[in-house]
Amino acid sequence: MSHPVQIKNALISVYYKDNLEPIIHELNRLGVTIYSTGGTETFIRNLGVNVVAVEDLTSYPSILGGRVKTLHPKVFGGILARRNFDGDEQQLAQFEIPEIDLVIVDLYPFEETVRSNAEEDDIIEKIDIGGISLIRAGAKNFKDVVIVASKSDYSELENILKTQNGETTIDQRRAFAHKAFNITSHYDTAIFKYFNQEEPLPVFKESIQTSQVLRYGENPHQGGVFYGDLEAMFTKLHGKELSYNNLVDVDAAVALIDEFTEPTIAILKHTNACGIASRNHIKEAWIDALACDPVSAFGGVIIANDEIDAETATEISKIFYEVLIAPAYTDEAIAILKEKKNRIILIRQVVELPVKLFKTLLNGVIEQDKDAVIEGADQMKAVTKRTPTEHELRDLYFANKVVKHTKSNTIVFAKNNQLMSSGVGQTSRVDSLRQAIIKAESFGFDLKGSVMASDAFFPFPDCVELAAEAGILAVLQPGGSINDQKSIDMCDLKNISMVTTGVRHFKH
């Protein structure tokens, strides 16, 4: 049953008046009686259109500095009354309440006010009471009322007014109500999260209004959606849309590169760095990052923290990659990079990133603080007879940044601010170590004089022994094992240094 409703009376009270004018003129053409308040009432009058002040309908003025304007039975009765329901119709007649068939109301800009770092009194005043009540009332009674709660829906409403002469279908009204409840729930979540910052209640609430449907999820048989504003994060210069797996790798790449201030390039596959180097010039960083594992670099995600110039672009274009991210590119570099099809080229914008991480798990959600800690030389405690040199400390710092962003169990070898190799995601730490040694040898790296970092403690001294035999001179680990002293003794026996940080960096 279509249950058409002809719009005869409309209530309009909005904060944003963009693109409202065409709707006012259409309602006027259709002979609709318009009720309004405050600035919206003035706006409508200035268009030369008749409007009835809500105060004239309610016989009650706006009070408390505008806090109470529409909260009145003559307003809400006209919205919530069930048409063709005898009891409701009789009461409307008894109290001279007009049926309101269209409600156009938006909400005070609460989130924008919070982001502006306004004083709390100003923020509290932007908590909408009347508006959100009107929206909920109109949406609840969608069988008889059209509710438009966002200026983004104005064009759709205007089209209905023009093509259907003010008559709406039940499907259209339900669709508007659906969107209206999305707006009110998001608004309430934003308010709750503002109040939930100090002494937070143990509840999980998130609401993200923008989204992008992905080609598929992790695999082609899985659906996928990204919730968030990618356009705020990146400017796409070239290539197709990012896939689910691209996004996962890009997220890991951004987290890793943000650890570095000197010109650095990292190459990632399946969220792990297969190459990374810091140099004085970005081209040198690229050459040395690629040298680490040119096989795994194929089809990877590349990220830089410095401008890509023409020389660097020429070198990068020699291999196939999925995504390239940098803060800037020269015009010549862009022209070179665009010569290759199916390469996604992104400019990274400055965006504040979340400090909480969450994901679905079992029948709920698990949340944690972002791992924002990284230990430098001041947090490295030498526990062996031999202490690391200044050069080794710098390499240990580099290796620690990389190991923090690599899947556990992991071992990282580094030398001269370059990743030599890593053992990634193994079920035992010694297997990660062996994997790292084999990879280094397969790509011609001499591990003599390099350093080693581990994301967690060594349960046995075998890792240190194998590392020393490979030529490692300094080791970093968090410490905390009951067998720490055995690993320290092995370092002393092999005349290598060890530092502990007291901080574990598991990544699962």
Side-chain angles (χ1 to χ4, degrees):
M1 183 176 177
S2 64
H3 185 40
V5 171
Q6 183 71 39
I7 297 172
K8 302 179 294 296
N9 299 299
L11 172 66
I12 306 175
S13 180
V14 295
Y15 188 89
Y16 298 105
K17 299 166 183 66
D18 319 46
N19 302 317
L20 182 62
E21 181 177 349
I23 291 174
I24 301 300
H25 288 307
E26 279 301 314
L27 292 173
N28 186 51
R29 178 184 68 82
L30 294 166
V32 174
T33 300
I34 301 175
Y35 299 89
S36 191
T37 64
T40 308
E41 178 191 345
T42 302
F43 175 81
I44 296 170
R45 289 194 193 281
N46 288 340
L47 295 176
V49 174
N50 290 330
V51 57
V52 179
V54 167
E55 291 88 344
D56 293 338
L57 170 65
T58 62
S59 299
Y60 213 93
S62 172
I63 63 172
L64 306 181
R67 280 191 164 196
V68 179
K69 290 181 287 191
T70 57
L71 296 169
H72 193 281
K74 280 204 170 183
V75 175
F76 281 87
I79 297 170
L80 287 167
R82 292 158 289 186
R83 280 55 159 175
N84 302 319
F85 189 82
D86 290 342
D88 287 6
E89 291 291 324
Q90 290 169 6
Q91 288 188 318
L92 289 182
Q94 177 185 355
F95 296 107
E96 299 180 337
I97 300 174
E99 293 179 346
I100 296 176
D101 316 294
L102 169 64
V103 177
I104 304 177
V105 174
D106 60 11
L107 300 171
Y108 291 157
F110 177 82
E111 289 179 279
E112 292 87 341
T113 306
V114 172
R115 285 195 293 266
S116 72
N117 296 316
E119 296 294 327
E120 181 162 84
D121 284 350
D122 294 329
I123 292 172
I124 298 304
E125 284 306 308
K126 288 299 185 291
I127 297 177
D128 207 312
I129 303 300
I132 202 163
S133 301
L134 290 167
I135 292 171
R136 289 179 65 85
K140 175 177 180 176
N141 203 24
F142 70 88
K143 290 183 178 180
D144 299 301
V145 177
V146 181
I147 172 65
V148 176
S150 171
K151 60 184 179 180
S152 64
D153 293 326
Y154 286 179
S155 60
E156 184 178 353
L157 174 63
E158 183 185 355
N159 182 62
I160 290 172
L161 295 175
K162 286 180 177 179
T163 60
Q164 298 172 206
N165 288 315
E167 188 176 88
T168 62
T169 68
I170 184 66
D171 289 340
Q172 289 169 336
R173 295 192 298 278
R174 178 186 281 273
F176 279 122
H178 185 188
K179 288 187 278 189
F181 280 125
N182 174 49
I183 288 170
T184 59
S185 65
H186 175 79
Y187 195 77
D188 283 337
T189 297
I191 295 170
F192 171 79
K193 292 185 74 173
Y194 171 76
F195 281 95
N196 206 43
Q197 296 177 87
E198 297 179 12
E199 300 183 10
L201 298 175
V203 296
F204 181 82
K205 289 181 185 288
E206 286 293 333
S207 178
I208 301 173
Q209 292 291 79
T210 54
S211 64
Q212 178 178 322
V213 177
L214 306 175
R215 296 194 300 275
Y216 51 80
E218 200 163 9
N219 298 292
H221 62 277
Q222 297 170 267
V225 181
F226 173 79
Y227 294 97
D229 188 357
L230 279 178
E231 291 184 359
M233 184 86 193
F234 301 109
T235 299
K236 188 174 72 172
L237 300 179
H238 185 64
K240 57 191 177 181
E241 297 300 322
L242 289 164
S243 69
Y244 180 99
N245 292 329
N246 288 155
L247 286 166
V248 173
D249 283 338
V250 166
D251 177 67
V254 167
L256 174 59
I257 204 69
D258 282 352
E259 301 283 359
F260 299 87
T261 55
E262 60 273 40
T264 302
I265 286 188
I267 311 166
L268 287 87
K269 285 288 288 290
H270 301 292
T271 74
N272 296 304
C274 56
I276 181 170
S278 299
R279 294 292 181 260
N280 293 326
H281 187 272
I282 203 70
K283 177 186 173 184
E284 297 167 355
W286 164 253
I287 291 171
D288 289 342
L290 179 62
C292 174
D293 186 350
V295 175
S296 295
F298 182 87
V301 169
I302 304 166
I303 191 165
N305 63 359
D306 202 357
E307 183 180 66
I308 301 295
D309 57 21
E311 288 187 359
T312 308
T314 299
E315 292 299 318
I316 291 174
S317 291
K318 292 178 181 178
I319 73 161
F320 170 73
Y321 58 88
E322 286 274 351
V323 184
L324 173 61
I325 308 164
Y329 304 82
T330 66
D331 291 341
E332 295 86 350
I334 293 173
I336 292 167
L337 294 167
K338 283 186 174 181
E339 291 175 359
K340 300 288 187 179
K341 295 181 179 180
N342 299 322
R343 307 287 199 276
I344 302 171
I345 305 170
L346 303 174
I347 297 176
R348 182 183 172 188
Q349 308 296 340
V350 178
V351 173
E352 185 177 355
L353 297 174
V355 296
K356 296 281 188 180
L357 306 176
F358 63 88
K359 64 179 179 180
T360 58
L361 189 149
L362 299 176
N363 62 341
V365 172
I366 192 168
E367 181 183 71
Q368 66 171 348
D369 297 331
K370 190 174 184 177
D371 185 356
V373 175
I374 189 64
E375 305 76 47
D378 292 342
Q379 292 79 40
M380 297 178 190
K381 177 184 177 182
V383 293
T384 50
K385 294 175 182 177
R386 180 185 183 276
T387 58
T389 66
E390 289 296 319
H391 183 81
E392 289 166 356
L393 284 171
R394 286 194 295 271
D395 278 343
L396 287 170
Y397 185 39
F398 178 93
N400 197 29
K401 293 176 181 179
V402 179
V403 84
K404 170 186 169 181
H405 294 277
T406 308
K407 287 291 179 70
S408 302
N409 287 310
T410 182
I411 293 290
V412 164
F413 294 141
K415 184 177 180 181
N416 298 328
N417 285 337
Q418 178 187 16
L419 176 64
M420 309 292 280
S421 67
S422 60
V424 176
Q426 299 301 304
T427 52
S428 73
R429 194 156 303 280
V430 70
D431 282 347
S432 294
L433 176 64
R434 291 191 179 104
Q435 182 190 61
I437 292 172
I438 292 170
K439 288 198 72 173
E441 291 174 347
S442 67
F443 293 110
F445 283 108
D446 184 357
L447 292 177
K448 290 182 174 61
S450 61
V451 304
M452 177 175 77
S454 174
D455 61 323
F457 63 63
F458 298 113
F460 305 103
D462 50 358
C463 287
V464 174
E465 183 177 13
L466 288 172
E469 291 172 359
I472 301 300
L473 290 181
V475 177
L476 176 145
Q477 60 133 334
S481 168
I482 59 173
N483 287 327
D484 271 354
Q485 192 57 49
K486 291 182 180 180
S487 292
I488 294 169
D489 291 342
M490 181 59 68
C491 286
D492 287 337
L493 180 65
K494 299 294 185 178
N495 194 33
I496 64 175
S497 59
M498 175 182 284
V499 298
T500 58
T501 63
V503 180
R504 187 183 72 187
H505 290 294
F506 269 165
K507 186 181 178 189
H508 292 100

